[in-house]
Amino acid sequence: MKKFDFEENIRRLDEIVIAIESADMPLEASLALYKEGVALATACDEALNAAEKEVLLLSKSGEAQPFLMRNDEDEL
């Protein structure tokens, strides 16, 4: 796996899912793609967890603050 780029890894995960679901490849190739996908998913999960921790540190109260969509703001 090359240098981590979250969006690029998500795109690659999508490609892997499509390739595995096509069922047009040998078992060994499917397994290799699955292993790559697990590694990418783990890296993405770690990046998301790190980003969440950073957001928590930056919030004023130190507690998780919900991210509001524009429609959600109207309901408050």
Side-chain angles (χ1 to χ4, degrees), residues 40-61:
L40 289 169
T42 299
C44 289
D45 186 54
E46 290 171 358
L48 289 173
N49 287 335
E52 181 181 22
K53 287 178 184 176
E54 187 173 348
V55 168
L56 290 174
L57 286 173
L58 294 172
S59 71
K60 291 180 183 176
S61 67

Side-chain angles (χ1 to χ4, degrees), residues 12 14-25 30 33:
R12 179 63 182 145
D14 286 337
E15 292 171 359
I16 290 171
V17 168
I18 290 168
I20 290 174
E21 287 178 345
S22 74
D24 292 338
M25 67 177 58
S30 293
L33 283 177

Side-chain angles (χ1 to χ4, degrees), residues 3-42:
K3 180 180 174 254
F4 182 81
D5 179 296
F6 184 82
E7 289 77 15
E8 184 178 318
N9 287 346
I10 292 294
R11 282 189 293 277
R12 179 63 182 145
L13 278 168
D14 286 337
E15 292 171 359
I16 290 171
V17 168
I18 290 168
I20 290 174
E21 287 178 345
S22 74
D24 292 338
M25 67 177 58
L27 177 61
E28 293 81 14
S30 293
L31 183 57
L33 283 177
Y34 181 80
K35 288 179 182 180
E36 180 185 354
V38 168
L40 289 169
T42 299

